[in-house]
Amino acid sequence: MKFQYKSNDYHQPQRNGALAGLLVLLFPVLLPSLFSPLSHASPSMFSEWNGPKPRHLPLLKSALQHQKEPNAPKPRHLPLFKSALQRPSANAKQSDLWLPLANQGWRSCAQSANNPSLPQKSQGYIQVFLDGGLNQQRMGICDAVAVTKILNATLVIPYLEVNPVWQDSSSFMDIYDVDHFINVLKDDISIVKELPNEFSWSTREYYATAIRATRIKTAPVHASANWYLENVLPVLQSYGVAAISPFSHRLTFDNLPMDIQRLRCKANFQALIFVPHIRALGDALVSRLRYPSIKNRGLDDVHLEETAYTNKIQEPLKFVVLHLRFDKDMAAHSACDFGGGKAEKLALAKYRQMIWQGRVLNSQFTDEELRSQGRCPLTPEEIGLLLAALGFDKSTRLYLASHKVYGGEARISALRRLFPLMEDKKSLASSEERAGVKGKASLLAALDYYVSMHSNIFISASPGNMHNALMGHRTYENLKTIKPNMALLGQLFLNKSLSWSEFQQAVVEGHENRQGQIRIRKPKQSIYTYPAPDCMCHG
């Protein structure tokens, strides 16, 4: 902003000083984003200067009609957004939303049909090296348990590779309660925390330096049980140890004995629990969401006593967990337009070229084609409009489960205006409490996973490993999970003339059967996403 004034040589120093003072006073007003606390999701303060314009202007205009927030970035879907903010605070639809799922005739059933039995003699030690994020590694752990059973071998606690994106070196024992894991599976397979001394040479570094006879690197994606018997068992019998790397999605979901399927379920839903300090912090966050009056209390014994007393006399509040999967990788790989203008398009295209050499299938389609096919991740604004249309309002307590959001706080501002009672790890826990998980993406994701499993409702803005893992786990526990109809929403957001009532009706009708109803797993689908009928019994 330029300030014009007439110069005068005699009074120039005084006026310059006065002008400088005036600028200092006006800076917080003119550029408030520089002086407000940055969200943990903000990559830099300057990202907030170029907040994306609303895509769905008519909807957002209706929602904003009675509010004046001149410093907030304009939503892309303004007419829808205005209507969303204007809607009544409470209605019958919202009360129905909070109802737990009715009994669907299925129950958790992860125990083996036969009595678990350890092999009389182990064929050797199985090592697996797992890449990916927390939930991809979780699936790999469960597959490793199944492969170990197929081969009558002994499993070495899986090695978690350093994530190349998040640079997190957390080990299995940093994330999961290893003693619980071993104890739950002790009647099914043998598990050791580390190799005996005679095999201590079999390390990640050993396999990184040369081709080794004990490393299996040819396991196909979704390999059959027979493939392991034909290709891995001989290595075990010859050397006493076999290291499988890479090991991600390396076991089929079909044509396996029921006992093997049930063992995978047992590993996923019973054996894998997080370490005590993650569970303790997770319990604290859940308690503060349900009982806001204890939000600022610590975790020592005195405060825990006070919390217990408060819990007895106060009705627990309900809350929704929103997994906002909208990071730079996701945005770039989708090849969709997110309203950031030419600069954002160029930045994402450059990133796409740098990471994937431009080889992204979606990039050959237009934004309209991608959206109409449901192939664009929902922005924070769009997921907010979905929640509003379903009946959630400003009184809804919303927990934001995410790492870094592409675009920072500017991208989240529309969602925050719709749901001002939005919390996250940083707002609910002190820096001292978060010290044990700070900078560790896997532990932060584990904390979000734990809180998500204790929420009344879970919803994810886009499909992905965490969405799939939690959808399966909550199905197993018969908990409500809203699965966005991506194709429907993409088409609705493309229609700029849609009124709020039309949008809301279409959303409600399009999500009636997407709130946790049992879906029977189809061939090639993941057992961890669709646990019925492999992990569940009917009747």
Side-chain angles (χ1 to χ4, degrees):
M1 179 176 292
K2 295 183 179 179
F3 291 88
Q4 296 183 352
Y5 57 97
K6 295 180 180 179
S7 64
N8 185 303
D9 294 338
Y10 181 79
H11 295 289
Q12 190 71 26
Q14 291 91 333
R15 290 185 179 182
N16 285 346
L19 178 60
L22 179 62
L23 284 173
V24 169
L25 291 173
L26 288 177
F27 244 63
V29 177
L30 297 173
L31 298 172
S33 61
L34 293 180
F35 296 87
S36 59
L38 291 179
S39 161
H40 69 289
S42 303
S44 73
M45 64 176 66
F46 300 103
S47 67
E48 301 195 20
W49 290 12
N50 300 310
K53 293 181 180 179
R55 303 197 71 202
H56 313 296
L57 201 59
L59 290 175
L60 287 171
K61 273 185 178 176
S62 304
L64 289 171
Q65 188 171 350
H66 299 298
Q67 298 202 11
K68 294 182 179 179
E69 301 178 51
N71 293 324
K74 294 180 180 179
R76 301 192 73 193
H77 313 294
L78 193 55
L80 283 177
F81 191 43
K82 282 188 174 181
S83 299
L85 285 174
Q86 189 181 356
R87 69 202 188 284
S89 294
N91 52 53
K93 287 181 181 178
Q94 189 188 47
S95 62
D96 292 342
L97 274 172
W98 294 112
L99 291 175
L101 284 176
N103 188 318
Q104 301 183 67
W106 290 84
R107 55 186 172 82
S108 57
C109 191
Q111 294 299 329
S112 171
N114 303 317
N115 292 327
S117 59
L118 285 170
Q120 292 183 348
K121 181 184 177 183
S122 171
Q123 297 289 336
Y125 295 94
I126 289 287
Q127 288 179 288
V128 294
F129 298 87
L130 305 176
D131 54 10
L134 176 78
N135 293 291
Q136 183 173 323
Q137 290 173 339
R138 183 186 185 102
M139 297 170 197
I141 292 165
C142 301
D143 285 349
V145 169
V147 167
T148 300
K149 184 69 173 179
I150 290 168
L151 298 174
N152 286 334
T154 297
L155 177 66
V156 183
I157 289 296
Y159 179 92
L160 308 185
E161 301 275 16
V162 175
N163 189 297
V165 176
W166 308 122
Q167 292 297 312
D168 188 351
S169 58
S170 298
S171 69
F172 183 105
M173 296 182 193
D174 292 329
I175 303 169
Y176 297 107
D177 187 328
V178 67
D179 293 324
H180 177 87
F181 180 74
I182 293 172
N183 185 58
V184 169
L185 299 172
K186 68 181 187 303
D187 295 327
D188 300 283
I189 62 170
S190 295
I191 305 174
V192 295
K193 295 181 181 179
E194 55 186 24
L195 286 166
N197 289 335
E198 62 185 297
F199 297 110
S200 60
W201 46 266
S202 184
T203 64
R204 180 69 181 81
E205 293 71 27
Y206 174 75
Y207 294 112
T209 55
I211 296 173
R212 309 293 185 183
T214 51
R215 178 187 172 186
I216 290 86
K217 60 184 296 185
T218 56
V221 173
H222 299 153
S224 67
N226 282 338
W227 188 92
Y228 284 96
L229 291 169
E230 293 169 3
N231 294 274
V232 181
L233 184 58
V235 176
L236 281 176
Q237 293 171 334
S238 297
Y239 300 97
V241 63
I244 310 174
S245 176
F247 191 78
S248 177
H249 308 293
R250 288 312 196 266
L251 181 62
T252 181
F253 291 115
D254 303 314
N255 303 315
L256 289 174
M258 182 55 72
D259 284 356
I260 297 298
Q261 296 287 64
R262 292 275 175 86
L263 183 56
R264 293 166 103 173
C265 304
K266 186 176 180 179
N268 190 35
F269 301 127
Q270 297 179 16
L272 285 175
I273 66 171
F274 298 120
V275 290
H277 78 89
I278 291 290
R279 303 200 306 269
L281 183 53
D283 285 335
L285 300 189
V286 171
S287 185
R288 291 164 191 174
L289 285 162
R290 296 207 182 281
Y291 306 96
S293 60
I294 63 170
K295 177 177 174 180
N296 296 321
R297 296 183 182 175
L299 295 179
D300 59 59
D301 292 339
V302 174
H303 287 146
L304 286 175
E305 270 185 36
E306 292 175 357
T307 298
Y309 175 73
T310 304
N311 292 358
K312 287 179 183 178
I313 63 174
Q314 181 182 334
E315 178 95 16
L317 299 178
K318 297 178 175 64
F319 70 95
V320 180
V321 167
L322 167 60
H323 178 229
L324 192 56
R325 187 175 182 236
F326 197 77
D327 54 39
K328 190 172 184 178
D329 274 20
M330 181 100 172
H333 196 272
S334 71
C336 299
D337 176 16
F338 298 107
K342 185 176 180 180
E344 182 177 86
K345 286 183 181 179
L346 290 174
L348 292 178
K350 184 177 180 180
Y351 187 79
R352 210 160 32 240
Q353 184 65 34
M354 179 179 66
I355 302 298
W356 301 290
Q357 289 74 50
R359 295 191 297 270
V360 175
L361 179 63
N362 284 356
S363 58
Q364 62 183 289
F365 299 99
T366 66
D367 182 70
E368 288 76 14
E369 289 171 333
L370 292 171
R371 289 189 178 280
S372 63
Q373 296 167 17
R375 296 166 72 174
C376 291
L378 297 177
T379 65
E381 175 194 342
E382 289 168 343
I383 196 72
L385 289 169
L386 167 62
L387 288 170
L390 288 173
F392 298 105
D393 62 24
K394 287 191 172 184
S395 67
T396 301
R397 297 190 66 74
L398 192 66
Y399 177 85
L400 193 61
S402 64
H403 193 57
K404 288 186 177 180
V405 174
Y406 179 60
E409 185 63 25
R411 187 77 72 177
I412 302 174
S413 62
L415 175 65
R416 196 180 298 281
R417 290 157 75 189
L418 287 169
F419 299 98
L421 300 182
M422 189 165 69
E423 306 275 10
D424 57 17
K425 295 176 285 290
K426 194 169 184 178
S427 68
L428 286 172
S430 67
S431 56
E432 291 78 15
E433 289 172 326
R434 289 182 281 109
V437 297
K438 185 178 180 181
K440 298 178 180 179
S442 292
L443 296 184
L444 291 167
L447 184 59
D448 281 339
Y449 190 106
Y450 186 87
V451 174
S452 299
M453 281 303 299
H454 289 77
S455 66
N456 298 88
I457 298 171
F458 173 79
I459 182 170
S460 182
S462 302
N465 287 324
M466 185 161 180
H467 164 89
N468 294 339
L470 276 162
M471 189 171 81
H473 203 159
R474 289 177 65 89
T475 297
Y476 183 78
E477 301 288 352
N478 199 46
L479 300 172
K480 185 169 282 191
T481 304
I482 298 174
K483 183 180 180 181
N485 188 331
M486 303 293 287
L488 169 67
L489 291 168
Q491 293 162 20
L492 292 177
F493 287 132
L494 284 171
N495 186 349
K496 302 304 180 184
S497 63
L498 206 61
S499 70
W500 175 256
S501 59
E502 292 170 329
F503 175 76
Q504 185 173 37
Q505 182 179 352
V507 165
V508 170
E509 291 176 355
H511 290 83
E512 284 179 346
N513 296 313
R514 302 176 72 90
Q515 300 188 29
Q517 289 82 356
I518 296 289
R519 306 281 185 186
I520 302 300
R521 187 179 71 86
K522 297 176 182 178
K524 297 185 180 180
Q525 287 185 331
S526 169
I527 195 174
Y528 308 118
T529 307
Y530 301 97
D534 305 86
C535 307
M536 306 180 76
C537 301
H538 193 266

